Amino acid sequence: MHSSSPIRNIFRLWRYVGKKRQVQFIALFFLMVCSVFAEMFNIAAVIPFLGALTAPEALIENETGWIQAILHFLNVQSTDNLLSTLTLLFIAASICAVSMRIFQLWFNTRLSTALGIQLRDEIYTKTLCQPYTFHLQQNSSTLISLATGKAAGAVQVGILQVLQLLINCIMSCTIICTLLFINAGIAVSACILLGGGYTAIAYLVRKRIGKNSVILSQTQPKAVQCIQEGLGGVREVIIDGSQKIFSRSHVRVVRDMQRATMQNTFLSGLPKPLLEMTAVTLITLLAYSLYADDTSGQQNVLPVLGAFALGAQRLLPSMQQIYFAWSNIIGQQAILDDVVTALYQQVECPKKKSAPLLFARSIALQQVTCRYPGTEKNVLQDITLHIPQGSTTGFIGTTGSGKSTLLDVIMGLLPPMQGQILVDGVVIDSTNVRAWQQNIAHVSQSIFLSDTSVEENIAFGVPVDQINPEQVQRAAHQAQIHTFIETLPNGYQTQVGERGVRLSGGQRQRIGIARALYKQAPVLVLDEATSALDEETEKAVMESINALGDITLLIIAHRLSTLERCDRIVKLTDGQIVEHNA
C-alpha cells in the first residue's frame, strides 16, 4: 500500500520540477485567472445586451448602477445607438473570453508536454544510473511502466489537475459572487444545491476511487510484463501453440485495469447529469418566481433570467471540473506516489565520462565473499586471486558454480560483501568503479542488439555522428563477421531487426565480439561469448583476439579448445576456487 498522501506527493513533485517550470506553471495559473475574469465579463455583458433588446429606455433612464457606468464610459446617451453598441460589446466580450481559453489551452498543452518529457527522461536516466544490484531485483516491466504511462499520469495529476482544481474553485467563487450581486437568495440556493451535491457524492465515492488507484498502479506494469513475455518468447509460443495461454494471462490483468479505469471514469462523471437536472429545476423555479413577483412583467425578468441561465451554464461545468480534478488526484494517487518515489531516488549519474583507471600491473581479489541482494546464500566464498596484466585467464566449472558472478565482481557490477578488489594496489569502491570500468569490454553469451544498423550495433552507445567507420570494420574483421556483413543488402547500414531477429545466434555473437573489440579496452571479458560459433570460426576469432597484443583476457567457456591458450585456468565449485593451474 502507498502511505504518502496526495498532498505531500504534489508538493514533492512541485519542488522537484525546478524553478523554471514553477515560474511557467505560475504564469499558466495567472493566465487561467485572466480567463476566469474574461468569462465573468462575458456573463456580465449579457445583462445590458438583453436589457437593450427588451427595455432600452429603462437602461438609459436608470441613473445609478454598474450598467449606467458602462454606458457613460461608452458615451451612450440615447436609444439610437444603444443596441448596436451593446451588441458590439457583448461580441467583444465573447471573443475575448474564447481567445483567452484558446491561448490557455495552447500554453497548457505545450507546458504539460515539456514537463512530461522532462519527467520521463529523468526517470529513465535515474533507472539507467542505478547499480547492477538494483536491476537484479527489479522487473523491467515495472521500470517501463514508470517511464511511460505513469510519468504522463503524474504530470496530469500532480500539476495540471491541481491547477484545474484551483482555477475552477476561483471561477466558481467568482460566478457565485456575480450571481449574488444579481439575486442573493437564488445564488445561495445554487451554491448549496450544486456545491453540496458534489461534496456529498465525493464523500460517498472516495474510498472506491482510492482502491482503484492502487489497482491501476499494480496492473500497469503487469500488463507490460505480459506483453514482454509473450513477444520475447514468440518462437516458443508459436511452436507450442500457447498463444491463448499468454492471451488469457494478459486479458486478466487488462480486465482488472480497465474495470478500475471504467469505475473511476463513471464515478468522475456521475454528478454531472444528476446536478444538471437540479440546475434545470432551479432555473425553472427561478423563472416562475421572478415572473410571479415582477410587477412590470417580462421586461425585467428576461435580463435577470438570462444572466442566471448563463451563470448556471458556467457554474455547473466549473463545479464538475473541481470534482473531476479531485477524483483524478485521488484515483491516481498510487501512480503519483510511484513516480515521485522514483524521481527522489538517490542516484548519482556520471556527469561526464571519467578517465580510465591506471592499469599496468595486476588485478587482485582478496578474500572476496559475495551474495545477491535479497538472498542469504553466498554465491562466492573467500575468493583470493591474482591476475597479471596482459595475461589470459580461463574460468571453468559446472552451471551455478559462480563463474559469471566472479566476473561481475571483477568488472565492478557486484560489490563484495567482504574482502576487496585491487587494481595496481588501488582498492575498487564506489568512488572509482566507473574509472575502472572504462578499461573493460564485455561479451556475454546472450547478446543484446538494438533495432538499428549493424554499424550502430558494433559501436553501441556511441552517437551516430561520432562513429569511426574504419574502426568498426577493423573490429568486424577481427570478429570474423566482416565478410558476412558485406553480403547484406546495405552492408554495415543494414537494419538487424528487433534484438537482432534477422541474424543467427552465431552472427549475433560475432557482432557482440566486434562491439567489445571496437572499444579497444585493455581488459576483455568473454562470458561464453563463442558458444554459438562452430569450432573453425571460434578458432579464427580467438586467434584474432590473441593477436591484439597486450590485453588482459578473462574467458568463461565450456570447450577446452577455447581455453588452450590460457596462461592459467581457475576452476570453481559452489562459489569457491578448488583448482588454480598456472
Side-chain angles (χ1 to χ4, degrees), residues 59 205 282 340 427:
L59 289 180
V205 304
L282 182 63
V340 171
V427 176

Side-chain angles (χ1 to χ4, degrees), residues 378-441:
N378 292 335
V379 184
L380 299 176
Q381 182 70 43
D382 198 27
I383 298 290
T384 297
L385 183 63
H386 183 266
I387 303 172
Q389 187 275 335
S391 65
T392 300
T393 303
F395 298 87
I396 60 173
T398 58
T399 301
S401 61
K403 305 183 299 296
S404 295
T405 304
L406 178 55
L407 291 186
D408 285 343
V409 171
I410 293 173
M411 291 187 292
L413 293 174
L414 290 174
M417 292 180 55
Q418 298 175 9
Q420 55 189 7
I421 308 165
L422 298 94
V423 175
D424 287 359
V426 178
V427 176
I428 301 300
D429 55 25
S430 59
T431 63
N432 60 6
V433 66
R434 283 296 305 127
W436 165 233
Q437 289 169 342
Q438 293 301 309
N439 292 289
I440 300 171

Side-chain angles (χ1 to χ4, degrees), residues 430-483:
S430 59
T431 63
N432 60 6
V433 66
R434 283 296 305 127
W436 165 233
Q437 289 169 342
Q438 293 301 309
N439 292 289
I440 300 171
H442 171 247
V443 188
S444 66
Q445 181 178 2
S446 178
I447 304 298
F448 172 79
L449 297 181
S450 60
D451 191 7
T452 54
S453 68
V454 173
E455 181 181 73
E456 289 174 74
N457 272 285
I458 292 177
F460 188 71
V462 178
V464 177
D465 59 347
Q466 297 178 24
I467 294 176
N468 185 329
E470 288 95 10
Q471 192 171 324
V472 168
Q473 293 189 28
R474 183 164 55 251
H477 274 289
Q478 293 166 341
Q480 304 297 311
I481 191 70
H482 172 75
T483 302

Side-chain angles (χ1 to χ4, degrees), residues 247-309:
S247 176
R248 281 196 294 267
S249 298
H250 178 254
V251 79
R252 278 196 297 268
V253 175
V254 171
R255 185 186 295 119
D256 291 340
M257 184 168 63
Q258 291 304 119
R259 280 176 178 172
T261 302
M262 178 200 69
Q263 287 181 7
N264 281 0
T265 302
F266 172 75
L267 294 175
S268 296
L270 176 62
K272 191 171 185 289
L274 295 176
L275 295 176
E276 277 181 347
M277 176 185 66
T278 304
V280 169
T281 303
L282 182 63
I283 291 174
T284 304
L285 293 174
L286 171 65
Y288 175 81
S289 174
L290 289 175
Y291 184 82
D293 293 342
D294 187 48
T295 56
S296 58
Q298 298 180 7
Q299 290 184 345
N300 293 329
V301 172
L302 185 59
V304 175
L305 186 59
F308 259 102

